Amino acid sequence: HPQHIHKQNIITPTTQSERVTAMANNGSTNTSGNTFIGGIFLPEIADDAVTSLSYARNDGFEYCVTELPVPPGISSASANGGAEVVRTDVTRLESKWWSTSVVGMVADPPHWDIVDDDGQPGNELIRALTTNPGNVSKNKAVGTKKDEAEKILWGVMEWASHMNIPAVILPS
């Protein structure tokens, strides 16, 4: 576990890795009576919700953020005989945790070659979705990647809905 975070501390990114964090609830409520809910994203274990949630709960956070997997059979990697990533944490984490303590994040498909990796998950997917393919007959590769990106995005969102994940972070 890279760094223990205590409930009463305000969390800032560490030099060990970039962390998307929030101040954890220390038991106090604001003037409207609402309790602040905080979560954590650990990029180095973003594909392991079991470990992420364990660290988050031990450090006083209510939820963790995990990358949503691309469902099997959707991507061109599976069509071209490429290896698909299978998440073993899906069956190791009880359904109550998926529906209460996990926030999903849309990320780039693992089989895509990221040309301009700026460190933000999902940017290549969004780039493919928002690129105008123009005349598809002249630029079939762009149109094909956009089609695949649409299938991946909807497949990931359907999977999140199936798992009853209460929130999904979309790339910007």
Side-chain angles (χ1 to χ4, degrees):
H1 186 271
Q3 172 185 358
H4 281 282
I5 302 166
H6 302 287
K7 274 182 139 181
Q8 66 273 15
N9 294 343
I10 295 176
I11 309 308
T12 57
T14 67
T15 56
Q16 295 176 357
S17 66
E18 292 181 15
R19 302 201 190 291
V20 178
T21 59
M23 185 173 71
N25 176 11
N26 65 6
S28 65
T29 57
N30 61 23
T31 56
S32 65
N34 296 328
T35 302
F36 182 81
I37 297 173
I40 191 166
F41 173 59
L42 302 166
E44 61 273 14
I45 54 173
D47 61 349
D48 183 357
V50 174
T51 304
S52 293
L53 185 58
S54 175
Y55 290 166
R57 303 296 286 186
N58 286 339
D59 291 335
F61 291 97
E62 285 78 20
Y63 68 90
C64 70
V65 177
T66 186
E67 289 181 1
L68 297 172
V70 175
I74 289 181
S75 70
S76 63
S78 60
N80 296 330
E84 291 189 5
V85 178
V86 177
R87 298 261 311 248
T88 59
D89 60 336
V90 172
T91 56
R92 293 184 312 159
L93 194 61
E94 292 180 54
S95 63
K96 70 177 181 179
W97 295 115
W98 285 103
S99 63
T100 61
S101 302
V102 174
V103 169
M105 181 177 65
V106 176
D108 288 325
H111 68 281
W112 281 12
D113 292 329
I114 308 303
V115 177
D116 183 23
D117 188 5
D118 56 7
Q120 299 299 316
N123 282 349
E124 188 66 21
L125 185 69
I126 289 300
R127 198 171 293 120
L129 287 167
T130 57
T131 298
N132 182 359
N135 186 343
V136 176
S137 64
K138 288 183 181 176
N139 198 349
K140 189 172 181 171
V142 172
T144 303
K145 193 161 191 174
K146 184 172 185 170
D147 293 342
E148 182 182 7
E150 287 173 358
K151 288 178 186 174
I152 289 170
L153 178 63
W154 288 112
V156 166
M157 297 304 287
E158 287 175 9
W159 187 86
S161 176
H162 168 75
M163 295 299 286
N164 206 20
I165 294 175
V168 174
I169 300 171
L170 298 173
S172 57

